[in-house]
Amino acid sequence: MRYFIEFAYNGKNYHGFQTQPNASSVQETLTKALQLLIDKSIEIVGAGRTDSGVHARQMFAHFDTEKAIDSSYWLPKLNSYLPKDIVIYAIFEVKDNAHARFEASARTYEYYIHTFKDAFLEDISWYCFQQLNVDLMNKACQILFEQTDFECFSKVHTEVFTFNCTITEANWKQNGNQLIFTIKADRFLRNMVRAIVGTMINIGAGKTSLEEFKEIIESKNRSKAGFSVPAHGLFLVKVDYPFLENK
């Protein structure tokens, strides 16, 4: 039987979601906790690969087991096995071929910035001291909808078949000293959101024009785009699946 788990994590203490040698990961931590309950080796497949230090408010993964799972028993038990920075929200059975990564139809990220120094936000928001033109940054968001190839925002030497992504939502919202950038797309490239935010910071600070922003995207050259903002302000906030729309 195949099961989905819905979970969240604070990425501060992890080198990303994916298991890797000699580094702590969310995937490895989840796998060990599940294996304690199932008492058998399993493989967890996540909806994506968040980078080191990136957080997730909603993430999904699937795994297979011959053991029937009673969610009311397993959920509190599994959470008790996990460290305080990872929480499981739900465990539920899905069709045998449901895939946490390949069947995700969209993902939504948010990036958090605070413009006045705050000792309590340092782990979950990036402090940007520059004066930013948010209206101009929102105009830059409109340019993203006109484009499909975002190679200029991708980490170099990434093994992907295409740099095409369809962005369906992108906007900046300001609430006092807090700025939130929201972006939704069918897929994302490695480092894409952080590179977009960094480039838009340059637009808001008056260092890059809207016309130059369009030229950067069309250049497909990472070196022409802006800096990558720090990972700790980035959150994966939603993963969409067609078969979970009414769940």
Side-chain angles (χ1 to χ4, degrees), residues 77-95:
K77 198 81 172 172
L78 186 55
N79 276 316
S80 72
Y81 288 169
L82 289 166
K84 60 184 179 181
D85 49 15
I86 301 177
V87 57
I88 308 292
Y89 292 131
I91 307 172
F92 51 93
E93 189 177 355
V94 293
K95 59 184 180 180

Side-chain angles (χ1 to χ4, degrees), residues 121-182:
L121 293 177
E122 282 304 306
D123 289 340
I124 56 172
S125 177
W126 176 54
Y127 171 47
C128 178
F129 59 87
Q130 301 181 78
Q131 288 288 109
L132 300 175
N133 186 329
V134 180
D135 289 338
L136 207 56
M137 291 156 71
N138 269 319
K139 287 180 180 177
C141 288
Q142 298 303 308
I143 295 173
L144 294 175
F145 300 135
E146 302 167 3
Q147 307 293 326
T148 54
D149 189 321
F150 295 100
E151 184 174 358
C152 72
F153 298 126
S154 173
K155 220 167 198 174
V156 295
H157 308 305
T158 300
E159 295 179 3
V160 294
F161 295 110
T162 175
F163 294 97
N164 288 351
C165 308
T166 301
I167 296 175
T168 54
E169 181 182 349
N171 63 76
W172 286 90
K173 291 181 181 176
Q174 184 166 15
N175 182 15
N177 294 321
Q178 186 180 58
L179 281 173
I180 303 174
F181 176 63
T182 302

Side-chain angles (χ1 to χ4, degrees), residues 192-208:
M192 178 175 164
V193 179
R194 291 163 60 194
I196 288 176
V197 172
T199 308
M200 286 192 175
I201 292 294
N202 288 341
I203 293 171
K207 299 175 183 177
T208 301

